[in-house]
Amino acid sequence: MTKREVQKLIVINKTIDGILTIREAAQALNLSERQIFRLKKGVKEQGESFVIHKNRGRKPANAIPEDVVRRVIDLKQNKYQDANFSHFRDLLEEREGIILSYSSVYRLLTSAGIQSPRNHRKPPKVHARRKRKPQAGLLVQIDCSPFEWIPSMGQLALHGAIDDATGQVLALYLTDNECMEGYFELMRRIIQNYGIPLSLYTDRHTIFVSPNKDKLSIEEQLEGKTVNQTQFERAMSELGITIINIDLLRLKAVSKDCGKPFRID
């Protein structure tokens, strides 16, 4: 099973056991309530295999050929760089003989890191706090805060974890510096006392995400190349835990308003 399928199975089993409501499960998996009903019924009748995607290993019949993908990206970057996505789609059809839907063009270009130019950009939106998860265990926030926590002992790194839904502090651990040992100890205590969480909310420290993750070119991604996971990522993946990385710059901006060392919004 993929990590996503493991997550589905965990949540669906919780609905079967009456721990989660249909609405809460739909919010946790970002699915409709109708899909949750279907998954619940399928797991009850057919078992765990029901959550495995039936097209695993098959190339979609409507997949865009890789040479077309490369050509579309090259045309946007070098020939039609000033055209917005909608106009660019029309130009592809009229001048290049490439017929694609707007959604396909949008997906290809945004995946390549290309944004649609706009004549009048809207002012940036004021940050709105994210709603907490509906139930404990769906999301755990972990972070580290250096400070002189114990007088006369100098600066120490306090690793901490809180549950997103309840705000409960799940674990704390002091070390000399922010390190993988500190985060592994947090996870050991969390799992021992509360069970395995569905996902973790972290910053982009190299403990959580490889510094090379964002350096792959489009060509390398099309060739199927990936970046090796960090040791912490691999361990969480084996447990079926998804790591959600928040941008560090955004984290700093939010922390000015928040004032709490372990609350990441």
Side-chain angles (χ1 to χ4, degrees), residues 128-134 164 263 265:
R129 284 184 177 271
R130 173 183 53 78
K131 289 185 178 180
R132 291 175 182 249
K133 293 296 183 181
D164 183 78
R263 178 67 191 176
D265 285 298

Side-chain angles (χ1 to χ4, degrees), residues 24-25 40 63 75 112 130 134 150 154 163 196 215 225:
E24 290 170 344
K40 182 179 178 181
L75 287 169
R130 173 183 53 78
I150 303 174
D163 185 87
I196 300 175
K215 295 181 180 179
K225 292 184 178 180

Side-chain angles (χ1 to χ4, degrees), residues 216-228:
L216 287 178
S217 66
I218 296 301
E219 289 75 15
E220 289 173 327
Q221 293 180 46
L222 290 172
E223 291 172 1
K225 292 184 178 180
T226 58
V227 173
N228 291 334

Side-chain angles (χ1 to χ4, degrees), residues 120-136:
H120 304 286
R121 292 190 177 273
K122 296 181 180 179
K125 293 182 179 179
V126 177
H127 172 73
R129 284 184 177 271
R130 173 183 53 78
K131 289 185 178 180
R132 291 175 182 249
K133 293 296 183 181
Q135 185 165 331

